[in-house]
């Protein structure tokens, strides 16, 4: 089993749609979790950290489920500019392979 | 702050040559990471330093790879000899590690290495 698993997508969604990504991790002792965004041929950039109680930043909501060992990212009211690859990250040591999102006009 | 600075941005070299990648972390950060990204394997951690000391180098693929951090503001990743399968984008990232804060890593723009 991979340490971090993500659905690679691509997810093709219309503008304004709500889309959710999930990510599972294998190390139950992991303490820190993040979602990064990577545009084509660019470096990854932090989208948001994921806290145990869940957290929201504008249209983005992240959740952590320690019992089931997964984290999720919800994007509401998708914009064209949200098109990118979203990377699930555990403890900064293990990255998921990324989920590609394409928002369509 | 200028962010994490990597050089060179692009490197094309012949198989068997030595390659040195350089990184300047964000001032004040105490942790530095070297990653490699390929289409096949995604983003992989090669080595991680904390306070200039290598903490985890289990991701370094083989003895041809070595990394140093002589001071808090500079690190190198060296490949000697280089092979075509080393072709990838190499990212350096830095963060401030604290047991209290859930700190994130900031990435440099990467070095795109091509070994022919």
């Amino acid at each position: 089993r991979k340490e971090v698993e993500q659905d690679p997508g691509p997810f093709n969604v219309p503008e304004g749609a709500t889309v959710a990504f999930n990510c599972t991790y294998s190390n139950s002792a992991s303490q820190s979790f993040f979602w990064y965004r990577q545009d084509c041929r660019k470096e990854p950039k932090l989208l948001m950290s994921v806290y145990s109680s869940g957290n929201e930043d504008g249209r983005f909501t992240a959740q952590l489920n320690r019992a089931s060992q997964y984290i999720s990212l919800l994007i509401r009211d998708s914009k064209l500019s949200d098109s990118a690859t979203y990377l699930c990250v555990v403890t900064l040591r293990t990255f998921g392979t990324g989920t590609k999102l394409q928002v369509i006009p | 702050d200028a962010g994490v600075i990597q050089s060179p941005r692009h490197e094309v070299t012949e198989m068997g040559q030595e390659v040195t990648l350089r990184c300047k972390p964000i001032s004040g950060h105490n942790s530095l990471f070297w990653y490699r990204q390929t289409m096949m394997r995604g983003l992989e951690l090669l080595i991680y330093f904390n306070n200039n000391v290598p903490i985890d180098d289990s991701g370094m693929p083989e003895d041809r790879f070595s990394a140093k951090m002589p001071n808090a503001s500079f690190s190198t990743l060296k490949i000697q000899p280089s092979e075509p399968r080393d072709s990838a984008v190499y990212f350096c990232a830095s963060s401030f590690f604290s047991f209290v804060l859930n700190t994130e890593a900031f990435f440099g723009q990467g070095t795109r290495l091509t070994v022919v």
Side-chain angles (χ1 to χ4, degrees):
Chain A
R1 182 184 174 186
K2 290 183 182 177
E3 290 188 62
V4 175
E5 295 204 55
Q6 285 185 258
D7 183 341
F11 284 59
N12 297 312
V13 303
E15 267 186 295
T18 295
V19 61
F21 306 138
N22 287 329
C23 164
T24 58
Y25 61 94
S26 60
N27 186 350
S28 59
S30 300
Q31 293 296 318
S32 56
F33 308 88
F34 308 90
W35 282 102
Y36 274 73
R37 170 195 169 127
Q38 187 172 26
D39 293 289
C40 188
R41 300 180 74 85
K42 298 285 190 180
E43 73 274 22
K45 292 185 179 179
L46 179 72
L47 179 66
M48 56 198 305
S49 301
V50 185
Y51 301 114
S52 296
S53 55
N55 46 302
E56 187 174 308
D57 183 1
R59 299 182 292 108
F60 300 86
T61 301
Q63 296 279 352
L64 168 64
N65 185 318
R66 286 191 183 275
S68 301
Q69 294 180 212
Y70 78 82
I71 67 174
S72 63
L73 176 68
L74 183 76
I75 305 174
R76 292 180 298 278
D77 189 22
S78 299
K79 312 290 185 189
L80 295 176
S81 57
D82 294 334
S83 298
T85 296
Y86 291 83
L87 303 167
C88 168
V89 185
V90 176
T91 67
L92 296 178
R93 299 187 180 202
T94 311
F95 281 67
T97 51
T99 299
K100 187 170 183 179
L101 172 66
Q102 184 69 48
V103 181
I104 305 165
Chain B
D1 197 315
V4 176
I5 300 172
Q6 290 187 246
S7 64
R9 292 288 309 280
H10 302 273
E11 176 81 30
V12 180
T13 190
E14 291 185 347
M15 182 174 63
Q17 295 298 307
E18 177 180 297
V19 175
T20 300
L21 312 181
R22 297 173 175 79
C23 176
K24 176 178 167 53
I26 292 173
S27 176
H29 282 186
N30 60 2
S31 295
L32 184 140
F33 307 80
W34 281 102
Y35 299 93
R36 177 173 68 177
Q37 187 172 38
T38 61
M39 288 292 292
M40 291 296 293
R41 301 174 66 93
L43 204 61
E44 303 172 285
L45 177 67
L46 299 177
I47 187 168
Y48 154 53
F49 293 87
N50 186 252
N51 292 322
N52 312 338
V53 176
I55 303 300
D56 181 359
D57 65 355
S58 60
M60 296 287 263
E62 44 195 281
D63 292 346
R64 298 184 296 107
F65 286 68
S66 62
K68 294 182 179 179
M69 192 164 186
N71 56 61
S73 59
F74 184 65
S75 177
T76 59
L77 177 68
K78 186 176 293 187
I79 308 172
Q80 166 63 18
S82 57
E83 297 182 2
R85 61 193 168 115
D86 301 331
S87 298
V89 180
Y90 291 81
F91 287 106
C92 175
S94 71
S95 73
F96 180 76
F97 174 76
S98 161
F99 286 105
V100 177
L101 296 176
N102 196 18
T103 54
E104 73 271 23
F106 295 83
F107 282 74
Q109 291 182 299
T111 295
R112 187 171 295 275
L113 174 65
T114 303
V115 183
V116 297

